[in-house]
Amino acid sequence: MQDESLPKVHSATKHMAHLAHCDCACVLEPPLGPVAPSLSGPWTTDTRTVSVDLKQEWRAYFNPRGPVGVAVLNRAAQRLLSQFEPSVVPDRLAGQLPDIPEPALQQVVTDLAAIGLIQPLEGQAPAPCSSTTLSAWLHVTEACNLACPYCYVSKSPRAMSFDLARHAATRLVEMAQRYGYRKLRLKYAGGEPTLHFGLVREVHGQASYQAEQADIELEEVLLTNGASVADEVLDTIAAADMRLMVSLDGGPAAHDRLRMRREGDGTFGAVVSTIDRALARGLVPDISITITSLNLDGVAGAARVALERNLPFNLNFYRECTPAGKQGRREVETLAPPPGRLVAVILDLFDLVRQFPAYPHPLSGILDRARLDLPHDGACSAGSDYLVVGVRGAIAGCQMLLGSPWANLSDEDPLDAVRKQGRLIFQQPGEGSDCARCTWRRACGGGCPLLRGSDLHDRYCAVYRALFPELLRLEGERLLAMEPAPLP
């Protein structure tokens, strides 16, 4: 019989069945290392922590300092947490809370410290960790078999040559080794990369060999529209231990409105077939859902496909194809969803998620590049630990900027050029800005820097602020559902 009077803490660290990718330079690493509490020194709570009520007197907490963003505490653990306001020495708690057995007390204090809900009062906080992963987006081709209205890639028959592909794999491993990264993450994209899959296979072989020689872990993700993926391609992806990300933008009508073949035929059935065939091969596809004004009515259909199959998914808000203040404003007005309607649609989607209480994947990272589970200062790793390689070897700091590259694969140190330019463009929100003062600042990282200062940035900011408390509640409910029921 479980004693509900004992303090209990649950966090996503116990249930990280799958860390979902997004189709961008996503934050995928904890920014801080765990800390072991010194029981003889004073500790305190973080006043920036946000909490919401759950059922049966549990509460969900978002800790903006990290390293773990979301945790749930029962009433006894909440009482223990309150002892740290304003501060307390942990080894004195036994005398203040005699009803809690000392082993249980020490375990919960350790848990609270490890997830960051309590912090050392003087000089013991862990320093921010630099990224251990270099990510590279490879545009293997500019050709595509679809004509999606929101795509930012200028379509053409151009494709990366095999010689350049092998060179790219070698240079990327060299860069990872030079800068001390322990992992290289390659994202194969286009256009539609399965149209040039022989090259993907070539890069994989070269990168695997080079990474093994350099003692660098290799992780690969193929981003596909899923419309015409052959069984042989899926077999190769499974055998190579690659990840697979598939775009699905709604139920049949909504998806086909956005993602039809150039001949005009819909692709929903073909995409779902790709997902199911991938599952049959042991793959766990990430489902990428892009939300525009054209598919608001059907977004839940795409989420249902993921939920019914226990697949990770993420929701991407439409972004204009050029940086703020330049071309493309008319596109924003037609394809960016109205904020109020967008919030209502996603809240309905959250209610759909509640119909799947056994869903195994964290939900705190599903909302448009924001991460409640991994608090972070910058919106993404663009400009620092991320680069994009075009079909001719040009290098940019973000796939949205490939038209204005910053370097080339043939340069002596392309990553250095990306970092220098990135410091100018991918800046964190300045002190005194609305972003810097916001409670949710480290959930979204200030939003996409390319949109900062634009009307679209402000509109999506309002959407984030409306949805983050409900997303926190949703992930808290999922964490509770993952815990075993008390014994009779």
Side-chain angles (χ1 to χ4, degrees):
M1 184 82 172
Q2 296 188 21
D3 187 350
E4 292 302 312
S5 67
L6 295 178
K8 294 183 177 63
V9 178
H10 304 317
S11 70
T13 55
K14 298 180 182 180
H15 305 300
M16 295 297 279
H18 179 93
L19 189 58
H21 287 269
C22 75
D23 61 354
C24 194
C26 313
V27 175
L28 288 173
E29 295 183 86
L32 301 173
V35 66
S38 170
L39 301 183
S40 60
W43 286 64
T44 186
T45 58
D46 192 329
T47 57
R48 296 170 296 178
T49 298
V50 183
S51 64
V52 296
D53 286 325
L54 302 177
K55 64 181 180 180
Q56 298 174 347
E57 298 183 328
W58 286 80
R59 288 185 70 82
Y61 290 77
F62 168 63
N63 167 28
R65 188 179 295 188
V68 178
V70 179
V72 293
L73 278 62
N74 69 355
R75 188 173 185 179
Q78 296 167 41
R79 176 184 167 218
L80 193 157
L81 181 63
S82 70
Q83 300 296 310
F84 290 85
E85 302 171 0
S87 67
V88 71
V89 175
D91 63 6
R92 298 177 186 169
L93 282 171
Q96 299 175 26
L97 301 170
D99 54 322
I100 301 177
E102 189 165 350
L105 186 65
Q106 290 186 0
Q107 180 60 57
V108 174
V109 169
T110 299
D111 289 344
L112 293 175
I115 62 181
L117 282 178
I118 58 173
Q119 305 283 339
L121 195 60
E122 299 175 356
Q124 302 175 53
C129 298
S130 57
S131 174
T132 62
T133 302
L134 174 65
S135 296
W137 175 295
L138 297 181
H139 270 285
V140 300
T141 180
E142 293 175 352
C144 191
N145 47 2
L146 305 186
C148 307
Y150 59 76
C151 185
Y152 57 87
V153 178
S154 298
K155 303 301 190 301
S156 80
R158 296 198 310 171
M160 189 177 286
S161 71
F162 278 73
D163 285 343
L164 180 60
R166 287 188 288 268
H167 181 56
T170 299
R171 290 304 316 274
L172 289 167
V173 172
E174 288 174 354
M175 281 183 258
Q177 190 172 32
R178 174 186 294 192
Y179 282 86
Y181 293 104
R182 296 197 295 272
K183 178 190 288 188
L184 173 64
R185 179 182 295 116
L186 299 181
K187 293 190 174 186
Y188 301 109
E192 172 50 40
T194 61
L195 299 178
H196 201 28
F197 192 71
L199 183 134
V200 174
R201 190 183 293 113
E202 188 78 10
V203 175
H204 164 72
Q206 181 78 0
S208 297
Y209 173 77
Q210 296 287 348
E212 183 178 2
Q213 296 301 304
D215 194 25
I216 290 174
E217 181 183 351
L218 179 66
E219 180 181 305
E220 298 166 290
V221 186
L222 185 131
L223 316 181
T224 176
N225 60 38
S228 301
V229 182
D231 285 344
E232 293 79 7
V233 170
L234 294 175
D235 290 338
T236 299
I237 293 171
D241 198 27
M242 292 185 196
R243 297 212 57 80
L244 182 66
M245 173 171 280
V246 181
S247 295
L248 185 68
D249 287 348
H255 176 87
D256 290 345
R257 195 180 305 141
L258 284 177
R259 291 182 162 266
M260 62 180 65
R261 301 183 193 276
R262 294 189 175 276
E263 305 80 35
D265 298 332
T267 60
F268 177 84
V271 174
V272 173
S273 170
T274 295
I275 292 169
D276 287 339
R277 287 183 291 119
L279 279 168
R281 288 162 170 79
L283 294 166
V284 182
D286 292 271
I287 308 302
S288 177
I289 306 169
T290 299
I291 306 178
T292 74
S293 58
L294 302 179
N295 65 328
L296 277 172
D297 60 337
V299 168
R304 183 176 288 277
V305 169
L307 291 164
E308 289 176 343
R309 293 162 175 78
N310 279 337
L311 296 177
F313 69 94
N314 61 77
L315 307 170
N316 306 304
F317 300 166
Y318 167 78
R319 283 171 170 77
E320 58 183 309
C321 302
T322 53
K326 297 187 179 180
Q327 306 174 33
R329 306 307 299 178
R330 185 172 299 174
E331 282 190 86
V332 175
E333 296 305 317
T334 56
L335 291 183
R341 178 74 176 124
L342 179 57
V343 169
V345 164
I346 295 180
L347 288 177
D348 286 344
L349 190 149
F350 288 176
D351 285 338
L352 172 64
V353 172
R354 290 184 171 94
Q355 299 176 27
F356 296 83
Y359 182 70
H361 305 294
L363 297 162
S364 43
I366 66 172
L367 187 60
D368 185 59
R369 298 165 171 79
R371 304 291 309 224
L372 292 184
D373 51 348
L374 297 175
H376 52 287
D377 288 316
C380 64
S381 59
S384 57
D385 308 302
Y386 178 81
L387 43 79
V388 179
V389 183
V391 295
R392 293 295 183 263
I395 290 179
C398 169
Q399 60 268 25
M400 305 294 276
L401 300 176
L402 251 184
S404 303
W406 300 346
N408 194 282
L409 271 177
S410 60
D411 295 344
E412 179 184 353
D413 192 348
L415 184 57
D416 181 60
V418 166
R419 288 182 166 187
K420 287 178 179 176
Q421 188 73 5
R423 283 194 288 269
L424 302 176
I425 294 179
F426 297 100
Q427 297 179 355
Q428 297 178 19
E431 292 298 325
S433 66
D434 288 343
C435 284
R437 292 189 294 266
C438 179
T439 299
W440 304 102
R441 157 79 172 79
R442 301 196 74 232
C444 68
C448 177
L450 299 182
L451 296 184
R452 204 166 288 152
S454 70
D455 176 65
L456 188 57
H457 177 277
D458 294 343
R459 288 156 62 180
Y460 285 157
C461 176
V463 172
Y464 285 145
R465 291 180 191 234
L467 290 175
F468 280 152
E470 296 309 313
L471 182 60
L472 174 59
R473 191 186 315 277
L474 186 69
E475 174 65 355
E477 292 169 355
R478 188 194 72 86
L479 288 172
L480 283 184
M482 294 294 292
E483 292 301 314
L487 296 174

